[in-house]
Amino acid sequence: QLQLVESGGGLVQPGGSLRLSCAVSGTMVEVYTIGWFRQAPGKEREGVSCISNVGDYTNYANSVKGRFTISRDHADMSVYLQMNSLKSEDTGVYFCAAGWNVATTGLNATEYGYWGQGTQVTVSS
């Protein structure tokens, strides 16, 4: 059983930056792939980024490549999403999730069994 808690969301102007954190607790945290997903009003949840259990594999949605960076710190059992050059279309609720034996892309929400409550990111002038 895992618990995930997101933090770091807020209001930022276009072009600005935010760093999201996902604190993970529970059993065998280190074996799980961690993903970030987002959901904008009226839209389906989409995969943003993921990082493998040992951190040797990362993946990003095309819409955020070159702007977002995912990282993982096993010492404090946290996963971070550094978001730069934010755009209005990045607005949404951001969720982190943990998955066991996640397949190729890691951006499919159905592969993740544990979810946080989400943190709101609003990009607006």
Side-chain angles (χ1 to χ4, degrees), residues 35-115:
W36 281 99
F37 296 81
R38 67 186 180 190
Q39 189 164 18
K43 294 188 176 181
E44 292 187 355
R45 190 170 297 189
E46 65 170 336
V48 174
S49 182
C50 69
I51 187 165
S52 63
N53 55 345
V54 296
D56 58 344
Y57 171 80
T58 59
N59 197 19
Y60 299 89
N62 288 334
S63 59
V64 307
K65 280 182 181 176
R67 300 188 297 122
F68 290 12
T69 303
I70 193 169
S71 61
R72 183 167 191 160
D73 188 334
H74 282 290
D76 64 5
M77 294 194 292
S78 293
V79 175
Y80 305 97
L81 187 68
Q82 177 67 44
M83 306 187 297
N84 299 327
S85 302
L86 283 162
K87 306 175 181 179
S88 57
E89 51 263 45
D90 293 318
T91 294
V93 179
Y94 282 68
F95 301 88
C96 62
W100 168 257
N101 199 26
V102 172
T104 310
T105 69
L107 300 181
N108 186 342
T110 62
E111 296 186 280
Y112 292 80
Y114 298 97
W115 291 82

Side-chain angles (χ1 to χ4, degrees), residues 13-42:
Q13 292 186 342
S17 298
L18 281 175
R19 188 191 193 210
L20 303 184
S21 299
C22 174
V24 188
S25 60
T27 305
M28 297 177 67
V29 170
E30 66 277 7
V31 306
Y32 288 84
T33 292
I34 304 297
W36 281 99
F37 296 81
R38 67 186 180 190
Q39 189 164 18

